[in-house]
Amino acid sequence: MGAAAVERFLEGTGLQRKPAALSLLSGLGAKLTRASDLPSSSLPRDPLPTTVAALDRLLLGGLPRGGFVEVSGRRSCGRFSIGIATLAAATSSGETAALVDLGSHLDPQSAEDAGVDLTRVLWVRPAKLKDAVASAEMTLSAGFPLVVLDLGLPPLRGRFIPDAAWVRLERAARQRHAMLLLLAPYRISGVAADAVVAADAMRPVWRGAAMHGAPKLLAGVASRLTLQKDARARSGIAEQMGLRVDATLSIPSLPATGERGTFSRRRGEGHLIAAAR
Amino acid sequence: MIACLFVPLFPLAARLRSEPELKDEDLAIFEGNGNAARVVAASRKARKAGVETGMTLPQARARIPKLIARGRDRECERAAQQSLLEVAESFSPRIEDAGEGVAYADLEGHAKLMGGGKPRPYDADVGAALEAARDLARDIVRAAEKAGLPARVGVAASKLAARIAAGLPDTPAVVPEGDEARFLAPLPLERLAPQMEIAATLERWGLTSIGDLAKLPEGEVASRLGEIGRALHAAARGVDPRPLEPYLPPPSFTEGMDLEWPLATLEPFLFLANAALERLLARLEFRALSCTRLEVTLKLDPDGCDARAISLPAPTRDAKTLLTLVRLELEARPPGAPVCGFVFTAHPDSPRRAQLSLFGPAALSPDRLATTIARLAALLGADRVGSPRAVDGHRPERFTATGFSPPPPPRERLAPRAGRGLLSVRVLRPPVPLEVILDTKARGARPSTLKSPPEATPPITGTVRVAAGPWSLEEGWWSDAPADRDYWDVELSGGGLYRIYRERTANAWFADGVYD
């Protein structure tokens, strides 16, 4: 580039004649702030969307194949729902999945209602944390494309698990090109996980309050997901997540006294029908 | 030459082989249940009294009130058939299992060895050869009688002629080679067992013997009766191109060794077991088979035996997996004494293969999956590994699990279905008992404070911020374990959203789920 051209460039006159160069600087170029944001060939591709929009946004599309994602959070933060939604996404796309369920918390009825194809799910119910980790490793070695390891509710049953075990799980997932989703009450996997998401600040949403003295109805929960660690150094980003209860509130013909009404709440195939008192 | 061993009224013969004391009784074998039961075979005494095949039990009892009726016993028949094959195998290494009391043995070249003790040139003199074959057939009949089976024997150059010769009451019957057509000609057509419609047609044509059919032009018979008629005409001329299909007894896959000194610890035993398993699996691999069940027999010191079996969900040829299963089995139930010898017996089966897909999700390897499930079952217990299934009903804690057998993956990868964004419930199994303080000031009594016992897992304690309910649930009131509950959704002030219920009959509170 000659001196005149540089001068024109600095004055901006050259850019007016080169819209492509301008768009480069204002578009992609403006976004290239860190090298770590560049897509790397070593990073796992072809993510599986978890169908939880907030988590998919944080993980740039979903669970990475060959990756290890940990979701931690207190009770009722929605992490179990994330696991169920991921199982539903995987099985609805025709893939098999394994759920290692420490504490045996799965409700097959509600899982089916959430869209999980139960025939494609291997349900492993260990009683101890050590067995849960061993089961996850075995299922990864068997070639399951998705393994959801749910550690249940605190206090965790079993002895302390060394960090090396988590690293081994991460390697098993990477070698098998499998997705490993760890759901834990607190951050447990040390440095092994590729991405760590913390779920916190659960806020229940109630409906039907003070309506003719009728009981409230749980409509869902709102929670916030924060990316605590990411292989692409994008930590600190937060997203709001909303989960709803499949419930209907109907008061077809309230008597004039307003004393009684009928509520129905659907859970899978079953209906809970109650008279409000 | 081919010898046919035929046991007439095979279901009866098999039964009498197991219960010889019924030999001189009025006995009938029935097949089917209730009114559909029909006589399939009857003893000579019962037949003389008028009991015939196809009769119902009341019809048979009308003729012989004290008739002994027995159901058809497949296990008896399987054992009798095996015994018949063993008889045939004692005369020839090439035998065929034709089922239902029929077996064939290839006698080619054996008459010289077994013709009455002195060698006779088989093909030197036709008469002498026939006599040698007849001697051999008599030996076979005697051997079958020794095994408890009243077999008839026919010897001929083809399977068809041998089978028909064996069906004749005068046993043994020997048909000279090339003389099949002449042998068959005077016999009634029923001996060829033609189809019912064909038999009716042949009867209309006025044919009664096999020779009558053989005299007709083959082309004319084929043009009128089709391919079946052509085959029947060939059979009538004694032409039977079917070769003998040799029966191969299932091989035995066994490996083991006697130890010079008894082993009291697991590791040295597993070291030896690994080598034995590798040898065993190499033999299986040589025959393109896999192990579907492994029997472990331990010889204990100073005397005694410990036998156990390890069943695999799918056949495998992985020595490491089998060794792990042996280890887990022995760790779970150690033998009561030092081991001074062991034998592994593998039950073979064909390995399962998965069809790989170019575009769809990859299917799990059945071999590896079965191995993993077996290892998980050994580690956790068989009831803790499976595929979950929903159960009809209203109780939230209900569930069942079946064996994991996923359907084949789709041919093309499908896009995941849009999520429903539902809040799931962690079911607490078993439910956590609660002490609940009710707020009676509110409209209706509502939970205000929850407290679980100190040993409860997970601990649930706190003040209720919001309580929604009650939702009534009543199920199984007619059963011994009815459910009569009032459900509440409660949010505790310290965080946590629970599903609790009051068991109305016992007035006891429990938490059975956590919204999570």
Side-chain angles (χ1 to χ4, degrees):
Chain A
M1 190 181 285
V6 172
E7 196 174 342
R8 279 203 306 277
F9 185 84
L10 292 174
E11 287 171 3
T13 52
L15 293 179
Q16 290 172 0
R17 291 196 300 271
K18 293 185 177 177
L22 186 62
S23 69
L24 178 72
L25 288 178
S26 61
L28 180 64
K31 290 178 185 170
L32 294 179
T33 53
R34 284 193 289 194
S36 58
D37 284 346
L38 284 169
S40 163
S41 59
S42 64
L43 283 174
R45 289 170 292 177
D46 186 21
L48 173 80
T50 62
T51 68
V52 177
L55 187 63
D56 285 347
R57 283 196 295 272
L58 287 180
L59 298 176
L60 298 178
L63 290 184
R65 290 185 192 274
F68 175 13
V69 175
E70 177 180 0
V71 177
S72 60
R74 299 179 63 197
R75 285 181 200 185
S76 305
C77 65
R79 65 188 149 91
F80 195 60
S81 304
I82 288 173
I84 297 294
T86 310
L87 287 174
T91 55
S92 68
S93 65
E95 296 194 86
T96 47
L99 171 64
V100 181
D101 184 6
L102 181 66
S104 188
H105 292 307
L106 177 71
D107 177 10
Q109 194 68 44
S110 65
E112 197 168 54
D113 201 34
V116 178
D117 180 358
L118 295 178
T119 59
R120 296 190 189 277
V121 175
L122 174 68
W123 187 24
V124 185
R125 300 185 294 133
K128 295 179 201 161
L129 181 58
K130 184 184 163 195
D131 290 345
V133 174
S135 304
E137 193 172 356
M138 281 189 217
T139 46
L140 281 171
S141 304
F144 279 88
L146 169 67
V147 175
V148 178
L149 170 56
D150 178 47
L151 300 187
L153 298 167
L156 296 183
R157 302 168 191 177
R159 291 184 300 175
F160 171 74
I161 295 292
D163 284 352
W166 302 111
V167 172
R168 219 166 57 205
L169 278 182
E170 187 270 334
R171 282 190 186 161
R174 186 149 37 96
Q175 283 170 359
R176 298 276 174 193
H177 205 57
M179 298 164 282
L180 174 61
L181 176 62
L182 170 65
L183 308 171
Y186 44 83
R187 192 167 164 182
I188 193 170
S189 68
V191 296
D194 297 313
V196 176
V197 177
D200 53 16
M202 175 275 294
R203 185 172 58 82
V205 181
W206 301 92
R207 269 196 301 170
M211 186 193 291
H212 308 290
K216 291 180 179 178
L217 191 69
L218 178 63
V221 296
S223 178
R224 193 180 63 181
L225 301 179
T226 309
L227 191 63
Q228 289 190 335
K229 178 196 168 189
D230 183 49
R232 286 156 283 200
R234 294 167 49 254
S235 57
I237 308 169
E239 290 276 355
Q240 286 294 326
M241 174 180 73
L243 298 165
R244 65 186 177 87
V245 174
D246 192 7
T248 54
L249 173 64
S250 59
I251 310 177
S253 57
L254 266 185
T257 59
E259 289 294 321
R260 298 180 73 83
T262 303
F263 299 83
S264 72
R265 186 165 60 163
R266 183 171 185 279
R267 285 209 181 98
E269 295 172 359
H271 292 259
L272 287 174
I273 297 175
R277 296 178 182 170
Chain B
M1 298 290 272
I2 292 172
C4 174
L5 287 74
F6 168 60
V7 180
L9 301 172
F10 183 63
L12 176 73
R15 175 63 82 166
L16 287 176
R17 180 174 169 271
S18 303
E19 297 179 78
E21 66 276 8
L22 297 177
K23 195 174 178 184
D24 298 322
E25 301 290 338
D26 292 315
L27 174 67
I29 307 295
F30 286 81
E31 187 168 29
N33 294 319
N35 291 334
R38 293 281 190 278
V39 174
V40 290
S43 64
R44 186 188 298 268
K45 197 174 168 191
R47 290 202 303 275
K48 275 187 182 169
V51 176
E52 292 173 5
T53 305
M55 279 184 171
T56 61
L57 183 59
Q59 286 171 332
R61 283 262 160 83
R63 282 159 179 78
I64 308 175
K66 289 187 177 176
L67 179 77
I68 299 171
R70 288 279 193 274
R72 198 166 175 182
D73 187 342
R74 298 286 176 190
E75 189 54 34
C76 263
E77 292 178 23
R78 191 196 57 74
Q81 181 70 20
Q82 196 62 37
S83 177
L84 187 70
L85 291 174
E86 284 163 8
V87 168
E89 203 174 17
S90 66
F91 287 87
S92 170
R94 290 187 77 235
I95 60 170
E96 178 181 334
D97 180 9
E100 294 283 315
V102 179
Y104 295 98
D106 186 358
L107 300 182
E108 202 62 52
H110 290 72
K112 290 176 187 171
L113 300 174
M114 307 180 110
K118 56 179 180 179
R120 297 182 188 192
Y122 184 74
D123 49 4
D125 177 13
V126 174
L130 279 179
E131 192 52 40
R134 197 165 283 119
D135 285 349
L136 190 55
R138 281 196 201 101
D139 288 346
I140 296 174
V141 170
R142 275 196 289 274
E145 274 174 6
K146 215 171 174 181
L149 292 168
R152 294 179 185 170
V153 176
V155 181
S158 68
K159 279 165 64 175
L160 174 81
R163 172 69 185 83
I164 291 176
L168 298 177
D170 184 19
T171 192
V174 178
V175 183
E177 194 164 0
D179 219 13
E180 289 85 9
R182 201 164 356 135
F183 162 72
L184 293 173
L187 298 176
L189 262 175
E190 291 80 42
R191 294 275 174 192
L192 288 181
Q195 286 181 8
M196 210 175 271
E197 292 172 13
I198 303 273
T201 307
L202 296 176
E203 196 179 345
R204 277 204 306 278
W205 289 356
L207 304 180
T208 54
S209 67
I210 296 176
D212 294 344
L213 178 61
K215 282 178 196 163
L216 297 178
E218 183 184 7
E220 298 295 325
V221 173
S223 67
R224 283 165 176 78
L225 299 179
E227 182 58 26
I228 298 173
R230 196 199 58 73
L232 198 64
H233 189 271
R237 287 182 284 122
V239 177
D240 182 15
R242 292 176 303 159
L244 190 114
E245 295 170 18
Y247 164 77
L248 294 173
S252 160
F253 294 100
T254 300
E255 284 284 343
M257 64 190 298
D258 283 335
L259 307 176
E260 290 180 21
W261 61 93
L263 296 176
T265 52
L266 189 59
E267 287 305 325
F269 170 75
L270 290 176
F271 180 76
L272 296 170
N274 185 36
L277 284 172
E278 281 179 353
R279 289 197 300 272
L280 189 63
L281 295 171
R283 284 172 57 194
L284 285 171
E285 190 175 9
F286 189 66
R287 288 179 178 254
L289 293 170
S290 291
C291 174
T292 188
R293 182 182 159 89
L294 182 71
E295 286 179 6
V296 184
T297 308
L298 305 175
K299 203 188 287 180
L300 303 181
D301 186 48
D303 56 354
C305 183
D306 183 342
R308 51 190 82 198
I310 299 168
S311 291
L312 297 157
T316 184
R317 240 179 1 225
D318 185 12
K320 197 176 162 192
T321 301
L322 285 178
L323 190 70
T324 306
L325 295 177
V326 169
R327 172 200 284 272
L328 292 168
E329 171 69 27
L330 293 179
E331 280 176 350
R333 292 190 300 127
V339 176
C340 58
F342 65 91
V343 175
F344 292 128
T345 305
H347 290 235
D349 197 358
S350 301
R352 296 180 194 164
R353 302 272 179 233
Q355 179 68 48
L356 297 176
S357 167
L358 279 176
F359 307 107
L364 296 173
S365 156
D367 195 4
R368 204 186 303 156
L369 175 64
T371 304
T372 304
I373 290 176
R375 290 178 68 184
L376 286 170
L379 178 70
L380 310 172
D383 59 329
R384 289 186 164 267
V385 184
S387 184
R389 292 287 181 276
V391 180
D392 279 345
H394 296 287
R395 291 177 218 221
E397 70 271 16
R398 69 200 185 281
F399 80 97
T400 186
T402 61
F404 182 62
S405 175
R411 285 171 174 247
E412 290 181 10
R413 192 181 294 274
L414 308 170
R417 210 177 301 148
R420 300 189 64 197
L422 293 182
L423 178 64
S424 297
V425 182
R426 285 181 184 276
V427 180
L428 299 176
R429 297 186 178 100
V432 177
L434 293 174
E435 283 178 28
V436 177
I437 297 175
L438 296 174
D439 178 10
T440 49
K441 285 185 230 165
R443 193 183 181 87
R446 309 175 80 80
S448 66
T449 308
L450 310 183
K451 187 181 179 190
S452 62
E455 69 279 5
T457 308
I460 301 170
T461 300
T463 309
V464 175
R465 203 172 74 81
V466 181
W471 316 97
S472 181
L473 184 149
E474 192 173 354
E475 189 188 83
W477 51 265
W478 58 90
S479 67
D480 293 336
D484 190 7
R485 304 170 180 174
D486 279 336
Y487 271 89
W488 294 80
D489 292 334
V490 296
E491 179 193 351
L492 298 187
S493 54
L497 197 55
Y498 298 92
R499 188 174 66 196
I500 66 171
Y501 67 87
R502 181 175 72 93
E503 191 72 55
R504 279 200 288 258
T505 48
N507 196 24
W509 288 84
F510 299 91
D512 82 336
V514 183
Y515 289 98
D516 188 6

